[in-house]
Every structure is written in C-alpha cells, then in structure tokens.
Amino acid sequence: MKLGAEMAVDEINNSGGIKSMGGAKLELIIADAGDSAEKAKNAAQRLVSQEPDLVGGMGSWLSSFTLAVTEVTERAKLPWLTLSYSDVITSRGFHYVFQTSATGATQANDAVPVLVKLAQSATGKRPTTAGIVMDNTAAPVSFAKPMREGGLAKMGIKLVTDEIFTPPLSDATALIQKVRSTRPDFLLMLSSAVPDDKLLTEKMNEFRMGKGVVPVIGNGAHWGVPELLDALGPDQLQGVMFICANWGMKGQEDLISRFKKRTGEPWLNQDSASHYGHVWILKEALERAGKADRVKVAEEIRKMHLTKGPAATAFSGGVKFEPNGRRAGASVLVVQWQNGVPVTVYPPESAQAAPFWPKR
C-alpha cells in the first residue's frame, strides 16, 4: 500500500503539485493499524486528532480493520478510500467512505461461475461439488455468504466441505482432513493472511490434495505476494488461482514498468495499484475543490467520473462512485500462479496470460 501511495505522491509533487492551489504539495502521513480492529480504531483516532490538516485518507487493508477505522473517519467527515472487500463497509449509510474494490459478494457472484466454466472446458466435466475453508474476518464472510445462500446450488454444485476458523491458524490438519475426506471438485480457500495461506497450502500438499488434485481458489491479494512464493516455492503454488479486485493487467504496461523500476518489486499487485490510484483520486478532487477542505474534497469525489489519466488507469473501468460510495463498474479479476508469477488471466481484455484448470 505504502509503495503505491508514495509513488503517486512523488509523481504529483514532481509535476507541480495541486495546480489549483498554487502548486501545493501532498504529504503522506503513515499510521500503523496494528494487529487488531481495536488497535486500528485507536490509530485512526490518533491520526484524526493529531493531524487536523488531513483532507483525505486510505486504508486499512483488512476489512475488519477498515470497518473500525471508518467509524472514526466518518465522524470526522474525512473522505476515506479503501480497497477492502466487505459489503458492510458501504452498507451503513456513510457519506465519506469510498470503496474502490468490487465487494466480496460481487466478486463471488461474478467470478465463481467463470471458474466453473473454465473447469468444464478444461476437463470436459462440470464441477458438481465444492468446499469452503475460510476464516471468520469480514471479507471472507461477505464472499462466502452468497455462495452458501444459493449461489453454488444455482450452479448445480453441492457444498461438501464448509469449515470456518479464527485466525491466526496454528494447525491446518483438521481443516484439510475434512477436504481429504470429501474431495470436492474445487476448494474456495478464503483465508486473509499469508501465514495462514502457507499453512493451508503446505497441509494440502502434505495430504496429497494439492497440485491440482483439488484445485484451490483463494480470495484476496495476499495470495499473490512475493513472500508467499518465498515460503512455498513455485511448485506448490503452480495453478493456484485467486479472485481479487485489482492487479497488474493489460493496459497498465507503463505503470507496471515504472513501479517495478522504482521499487524493485517483481510485479504490481492490488495493494500498490489501488493506493497509487487512491492518491490520484484525492489529487483530482483537490484540483476541483481548489482548497484543502475535506468536506469539499468528498463532494468532488462523489461527482467524479474519470475515464483517463493516472487514477482511471489504476482501476479497470475508470473512477465513478455510486451514491453508497461503491465504485461503479468495479471489475473482478482472476489471477493465477504460473511458473512462479501471479498473472491476470480473467477477464480476457485484461489478461496477461491464458488460464488453465489444474487437473487431478
């Protein structure tokens, strides 16, 4: 998140700052959300009280944290941009929260049918069973809800494994034993943190459920971070797919190149791309507001409709917000690990490579 935001701030300041405000420069203030929703809320309270000149903010990645943080920022009338997935974030009637990612329910409803078709075209057989292994944080709950409440049944798929855990996970044995006993045609592995991704994937391979025996579909950008590759290696990750709201894709070649050169990161992921775009959204709102007024900035974000420029490039479909704060037309991406690199494989107009269905 920080890498993408810093890149945007530097680009804006180096190109003349906020021109309607006489070239005013942006300053990025960083606050650590900590490791719990309560700590994230406290960090937001300190941020608001100690930084009265704030005109906008972004964060805090995990939906459970963002729900807590935005309770604070909403009272302060501070426009807040988030990539978090939970549907609840923009279902509370708030006026100063802007969600740039497709919600968890939207991701599930849009992406899972595509994956089912992919499985059928690759294997000649339509999947009839599925499993869910998930943690109980807000984003997985939003993602799984429509699947449990008829989404899978409408596709003729029976849910044969349905397991929920509280993170952090200390031992994945019992969870994966359930997967081994039911052997679903695919598994929705809805964890929220890299250590849990690692434990679950290792246990899948230990029990000979990995590498396509039971195809794994994750949710969230943590499934594509370099640290996971370091922990598991390309062989254990080959073919693993995950659904996310943003990633390096076709049409972002220049952005990807500049980001990799600046940061040394191996690819552009959701967190960096989205927060790069968030800063540019604030920049455009400030240009239109002509003053550092957070209420006016929020008004300009609500009226915004960007189809070109850095902010629009950072998000597939451009930037326009619905009355509830959700980005209109927010797309869903499917990313797949192929030969040690997580590449966008869906939708076709954004794909960097063709997808394949891991075969048993």
Side-chain angles (χ1 to χ4, degrees):
M1 289 166 53
K2 185 169 175 282
L3 291 174
E6 288 175 336
M7 178 173 165
V9 167
D10 286 349
E11 287 182 356
I12 292 164
N13 289 343
N14 292 339
S15 62
I18 311 300
K19 296 177 177 60
S20 70
M21 296 171 58
K25 305 297 185 183
L26 292 179
E27 180 184 356
L28 185 66
I29 307 296
I30 305 293
D32 186 354
D35 58 3
S36 70
E38 186 63 27
K39 289 180 182 178
K41 183 177 181 179
N42 292 339
Q45 289 171 335
R46 289 193 301 273
L47 188 69
V48 168
S49 64
Q50 294 173 7
E51 302 290 343
D53 294 334
L54 285 176
V55 293
M58 62 202 80
S60 56
W61 195 77
L62 191 69
S63 289
S64 298
F65 290 11
T66 300
L67 284 164
V69 164
T70 48
E71 293 283 348
V72 176
T73 59
E74 181 72 10
R75 288 194 296 271
K77 297 183 178 180
L78 180 67
W80 198 263
L81 294 148
T82 178
L83 58 72
S84 299
Y85 293 172
S86 174
D87 292 57
V88 180
I89 292 168
T90 41
S91 297
R92 298 171 292 175
F94 286 6
H95 299 290
Y96 294 90
V97 178
F98 302 93
Q99 189 173 27
T100 55
S101 295
T103 65
T106 299
Q107 292 184 38
N109 288 327
D110 289 357
V112 174
V114 170
L115 292 163
V116 169
K117 290 180 182 178
L118 174 60
Q120 185 174 12
S121 64
T123 65
K125 180 183 176 184
R126 186 177 179 83
T128 58
T129 61
I132 294 176
V133 172
M134 60 174 282
D135 69 36
N136 57 5
T137 60
V141 169
S142 286
F143 186 94
K145 188 173 186 288
M147 294 297 99
R148 287 198 181 97
E149 296 179 353
L152 289 173
K154 287 178 182 177
M155 291 182 281
I157 297 173
K158 182 181 180 181
L159 186 60
V160 295
T161 305
D162 192 357
E163 297 294 320
I164 302 174
F165 66 91
T166 298
L169 189 61
S170 59
D171 187 355
T173 301
L175 296 169
I176 304 306
Q177 280 177 336
K178 296 289 182 64
V179 178
R180 182 169 63 176
S181 66
T182 57
R183 291 176 69 89
D185 290 330
F186 65 90
L187 176 65
L188 295 171
M189 196 177 284
L190 310 179
S191 46
S192 297
V194 171
D196 293 343
D197 301 343
K198 176 179 180 292
L199 282 176
L200 289 162
T201 305
E202 286 178 334
K203 192 60 65 173
M204 285 283 288
N205 284 290
E206 179 184 331
F207 284 5
R208 299 185 180 181
M209 292 290 101
K211 302 178 184 178
V213 176
V214 175
V216 170
I217 300 162
N219 180 229
H222 53 96
W223 275 101
V225 296
E227 291 82 359
L228 191 61
L229 178 64
D230 294 340
L232 292 172
D235 186 49
Q236 291 195 78
L237 286 170
Q238 178 71 359
V240 170
M241 289 176 277
F242 57 94
I243 301 160
C244 66
N246 204 351
W247 203 261
M249 66 187 92
K250 188 186 297 182
Q252 292 182 333
E253 288 79 8
D254 182 59
L255 174 59
I256 293 169
S257 176
R258 288 186 287 110
F259 176 78
K260 289 167 64 175
K261 182 177 180 180
R262 173 190 169 95
T263 65
E265 291 290 301
W267 48 77
L268 176 66
N269 68 13
Q270 169 191 272
D271 305 339
S272 296
S274 293
H275 281 77
Y276 174 86
H278 288 167
V279 173
W280 275 100
I281 289 172
L282 289 172
K283 190 266 188 189
E284 292 296 331
L286 279 164
E287 290 284 10
R288 298 174 187 203
K291 57 181 178 178
D293 182 306
R294 59 180 63 171
V295 173
K296 183 64 175 174
V297 167
E299 289 176 0
E300 294 300 331
I301 294 175
R302 281 191 284 269
K303 294 188 292 185
M304 188 175 288
H305 187 190
L306 304 176
T307 58
K308 59 183 179 180
T313 299
F315 300 102
S316 177
V319 178
K320 180 181 179 181
F321 291 97
E322 298 171 353
N324 61 5
R326 293 177 184 172
R327 186 167 64 88
S331 60
V332 176
L333 302 179
V334 178
V335 181
Q336 184 174 42
W337 281 98
Q338 296 185 4
N339 303 314
V341 180
V343 292
T344 301
V345 295
Y346 177 86
E349 62 270 19
S350 301
Q352 300 167 309
F356 68 90
W357 187 258
K359 296 183 180 180
R360 292 178 182 268

